[in-house]
Amino acid sequence: MKGLVFLVEKRFILKKKVLYFVYGLKKSVQVCIWLALVLLSWTLFFDGKLKLSKDDNKFIRYVTRALVSSLAGAGIWLLKTLLLKILASSFHVNTFFDRIQESLFHQYVLQVLSGPPKMQLAENIGRTKTIGTLSVRSTTKKGKEGQVQEIDVNKLHKLKQEKVSAWTMKLLCDMVSTTGLSTLSDEIEDLYDEEQKDVEITCEWQAKAAAFRIFKNVAKPREKYIYEEDLLKFLTKEEVANVYPLFEGAVEAGKIKKSMLRNWVVKVYLERKSLGHSLNDAQTAVRELNKIASVIVLVMIVIVWVLLMGIATTQFLVFISSQMLLVVFVFGNMAKTVFEGIIFVFIMHPFDVGDRCLVDNVQMVVEEMNILTTVFLRYDNQKMYFPNSVLATKIIGNFNRSPFMGDAVEFNVNVATSVETIGELKARIKMYIESKPQHWSPNHTVVVLEIVNVHDLKMALYLSHTMNHQNMGEKNNRRSDLVFELKKIFVELKIEFKLLPQEVYVTYAGSAPVVIG
């Protein structure tokens, strides 16, 4: 079997999809080939030339049928494994490739910016690490350090989802699942070491601390900003062109503030954490599906064995049929639920772990995904368990997969407000929105909705964020700043809310006045 694998490797060394399935199906193929060779040897040895008694011939026929049945069962098991491998490969490529590609590029940027500049790398002749290579150390299930894995970031950036191989996708998934987000050690004595230590980021506080170290490492001494020429000491021009837009507002400002870098590192950490949970849940779902499929295939193998061995008499078939009807009656609804859960998780797949969703008009964050159930975390951190068969029948909104989302602010002004003042109000709102291009899209509208009770103009401001509402805290902060700015404009333009004059009747219910004279 090892020789066969070697020949396939040598023949299809550039076809990584073939290699992926060769190694994935190695045991199943090995069993099939071994049984086929045993059956062939048995058939050639007892080819009818030997003169045997009836009992011996009957025994030989039973052994031959047993071998044929075993080979058929091994073939069915091989087919099951092959279909699961194809399903898992296509599912991971369609669902996670873009996120993995982005996450690994971000980790590469973190490692490069936290290490020595490229000029110093060039001076280290004996250094083994090459520019454009991401090096990470995996961890085992017991928490011990594993092997160092390297990946060419330039090739990774050029990969297309349609052309990525199953073998490459498996390596990328394993790299994200078994490694954490890390930066290089900033210790001076490690600057010229052959292998720098990785400092793993495990919480938001460490992410902010890593951002502070990176800023100190990249920016010039006593500088408050990072400029493009600072990044060129660490990255190529093409990489700088891809990195600069990652920092919110850096393109418009032409420089990177500490807050921009800090927010980006925290965002990268949270996305990597969410991606790791999503991959783990996906692998768990695939394992659960494998168990379910294995049970079904074992039943099929038993049926094939019975048929090929000639044991299936009329009484036996009647007994099996009655038992099957009983199983269907007892577990039919469960089987339907499992099938609907499989369709929901692997085909519909409306969300991933960490996505903010709207289910029954309630905003919740996906905490865990399984074959049968999905666990959500509500706004008050209460865990909500939904059967996937029920979720498949509901309308689900996904904030994380949505494009830039809109917002609206409604307010009332007095009907006596002049047209010029309203025009100035629109101009001031436009000026504010255009001054925050990293927060708001320039396209917006200020409209009059209706006249309320003759004395009020009900107006509304419709505009679009430069983000979706996945990060609800950031969305609320932006909206809060906008409302405060509107309040400031109202005060400066002396736009006030005034009630119409009201008639007031005053009556005197006391005793008659006393005249003192």
Side-chain angles (χ1 to χ4, degrees):
M1 186 60 194
K2 292 182 179 179
L4 180 62
V5 171
F6 173 77
L7 292 176
V8 174
E9 276 188 11
K10 193 172 182 180
R11 176 66 181 83
F12 300 102
I13 191 64
L14 297 179
K15 299 182 179 180
K16 294 183 179 180
K17 286 186 178 180
V18 177
L19 287 180
Y20 170 75
F21 289 110
V22 164
Y23 281 101
L25 304 175
K26 183 177 178 180
K27 291 183 180 180
S28 300
V29 173
Q30 185 175 6
V31 172
C32 286
I33 294 177
W34 183 81
L35 287 174
L37 292 176
V38 171
L39 178 60
L40 179 62
S41 302
W42 180 266
T43 305
L44 292 177
F45 186 76
F46 298 100
D47 57 354
K49 296 180 180 181
L50 297 177
K51 296 181 180 180
L52 302 173
S53 61
K54 292 183 179 180
D55 293 337
D56 292 337
N57 286 327
K58 187 176 181 181
F59 173 76
I60 291 173
R61 285 196 299 271
Y62 271 114
V63 174
T64 304
R65 288 181 180 180
L67 291 175
V68 172
S69 303
S70 301
L71 181 59
I76 295 174
W77 190 270
L78 174 62
L79 180 62
K80 183 268 298 183
T81 306
L82 176 62
L83 293 177
L84 280 177
K85 289 289 182 181
I86 294 174
L87 174 64
S89 173
S90 60
F91 174 72
H92 282 90
V93 170
N94 295 331
T95 307
F96 300 114
F97 174 73
D98 291 335
R99 295 176 64 187
I100 290 176
Q101 188 182 41
E102 182 181 6
S103 178
L104 291 178
F105 179 71
H106 290 169
Q107 182 168 355
Y108 164 73
V109 174
L110 284 175
Q111 285 195 358
V112 171
L113 295 183
S114 61
K118 191 165 62 173
M119 297 293 292
Q120 295 178 352
L121 284 174
E123 293 175 1
N124 288 342
I125 301 176
R127 196 175 184 88
T128 58
K129 286 188 177 180
T130 58
I131 299 172
T133 301
L134 171 63
S135 178
V136 294
R137 185 178 296 276
S138 61
T139 55
T140 61
K141 294 182 179 179
K142 297 181 179 180
K144 298 181 179 180
E145 292 187 352
Q147 298 180 348
V148 176
Q149 305 178 41
E150 293 187 352
I151 185 171
D152 191 331
V153 177
N154 295 324
K155 292 182 179 179
L156 174 65
H157 196 68
K158 296 177 182 178
L159 273 179
K160 302 297 181 182
Q161 181 174 328
E162 302 80 20
K163 297 183 179 180
V164 64
S165 65
W167 180 266
T168 302
M169 193 64 205
K170 181 179 183 299
L171 294 178
L172 294 178
C173 291
D174 291 342
M175 181 175 288
V176 174
S177 300
T178 58
T179 62
L181 189 66
S182 60
T183 60
L184 295 180
S185 174
D186 61 339
E187 297 178 5
I188 297 178
E189 59 269 18
D190 293 336
L191 191 60
Y192 295 98
D193 285 352
E194 189 68 24
E195 291 186 2
Q196 287 181 291
K197 298 178 181 179
D198 290 342
V199 180
E200 186 172 350
I201 300 174
T202 58
C203 62
E204 290 191 35
W205 179 85
Q206 290 183 352
K208 294 178 181 179
F212 175 78
R213 292 196 302 268
I214 292 174
F215 188 90
K216 185 179 178 181
N217 185 51
V218 177
K220 296 175 183 177
R222 294 182 295 277
E223 271 289 348
K224 296 182 179 180
Y225 305 102
I226 295 176
Y227 297 94
E228 186 174 351
E229 55 267 23
D230 299 327
L231 294 177
L232 288 174
K233 297 178 182 179
F234 298 83
L235 303 167
T236 62
K237 289 185 177 180
E238 293 78 9
E239 290 172 340
V240 171
N242 293 326
V243 166
Y244 226 74
L246 298 177
F247 306 100
E248 186 177 334
V251 177
E252 294 79 7
K255 54 190 176 182
I256 301 173
K257 301 179 182 178
K258 287 184 179 180
S259 59
M260 295 178 183
L261 180 61
R262 182 182 64 248
N263 294 338
W264 177 73
V265 175
V266 172
K267 180 181 178 182
V268 168
Y269 162 71
L270 295 176
E271 173 60 26
R272 181 59 174 267
K273 181 180 178 182
S274 174
L275 179 59
H277 288 319
S278 297
L279 286 173
N280 290 333
D281 284 355
Q283 292 172 359
T284 302
V286 170
R287 286 194 293 267
E288 292 177 355
L289 179 60
N290 182 38
K291 293 178 182 178
I292 295 172
S294 298
V295 173
I296 297 174
V297 167
L298 285 175
V299 174
M300 293 176 60
I301 291 175
V302 170
I303 294 174
V304 170
W305 179 283
V306 170
L307 292 175
L308 292 179
M309 290 297 293
I311 304 176
T313 60
T314 304
Q315 293 81 359
F316 182 80
L317 292 176
V318 170
F319 173 75
I320 292 295
S321 300
S322 61
Q323 297 302 312
M324 289 297 294
L325 288 174
L326 179 61
V327 170
V328 169
F329 178 77
V330 176
F331 299 103
N333 191 36
M334 181 181 295
K336 177 175 176 292
T337 302
V338 171
F339 179 76
E340 290 176 348
I342 293 172
I343 297 297
F344 181 81
V345 172
F346 291 101
I347 297 180
M348 297 177 63
H349 198 74
F351 45 69
D352 294 305
V353 174
D355 287 358
R356 183 179 296 276
C357 298
L358 187 68
V359 183
D360 291 338
N361 292 324
V362 179
Q363 288 189 22
M364 296 179 288
V365 177
V366 182
E367 181 80 4
E368 183 181 343
M369 283 186 69
N370 298 304
I371 288 289
L372 297 179
T373 60
T374 297
V375 182
F376 291 94
L377 205 61
R378 209 170 60 176
Y379 54 85
D380 56 355
N381 282 344
Q382 180 183 1
K383 286 191 174 183
M384 309 287 288
Y385 293 80
F386 282 83
N388 290 336
S389 57
V390 175
L391 287 175
T393 63
K394 293 182 177 293
I395 298 176
I396 300 174
N398 191 324
F399 291 98
N400 195 33
R401 296 186 183 180
S402 301
F404 293 164
M405 298 181 67
D407 209 337
V409 179
E410 295 184 355
F411 53 91
N412 290 4
V413 298
N414 191 271
V415 73
T417 306
S418 65
V419 177
E420 291 77 11
T421 304
I422 294 178
E424 180 65 18
L425 170 65
K426 292 182 178 180
R428 296 284 294 274
I429 292 175
K430 180 181 179 181
M431 186 184 304
Y432 173 77
I433 293 175
E434 290 179 349
S435 68
K436 301 284 186 179
Q438 69 273 20
H439 290 170
W440 305 102
S441 173
N443 299 324
H444 69 283
T445 55
V446 180
V447 297
V448 178
L449 299 178
E450 58 181 336
I451 299 177
V452 181
N453 297 329
V454 187
H455 60 86
D456 280 343
L457 287 178
K458 185 176 182 181
M459 303 183 67
L461 167 63
Y462 297 105
L463 68 171
S464 175
H465 293 264
T466 55
M467 56 175 278
N468 54 42
H469 295 172
Q470 169 69 15
N471 189 345
M472 190 57 63
E474 176 65 19
K475 179 256 183 185
N476 291 333
N477 289 337
R478 294 184 180 185
R479 180 183 170 86
S480 178
D481 293 340
L482 175 63
V483 173
F484 273 117
E485 183 65 22
L486 286 176
K487 189 259 183 188
K488 179 181 176 182
I489 295 173
F490 292 155
V491 172
E492 293 177 354
L493 297 180
K494 297 181 180 179
I495 298 176
E496 300 175 349
F497 178 78
K498 296 179 180 179
L499 292 173
L500 289 176
Q502 304 289 325
E503 294 184 1
V504 179
Y505 296 93
V506 179
T507 60
Y508 182 72
S511 59
V514 178
V515 179
I516 301 175

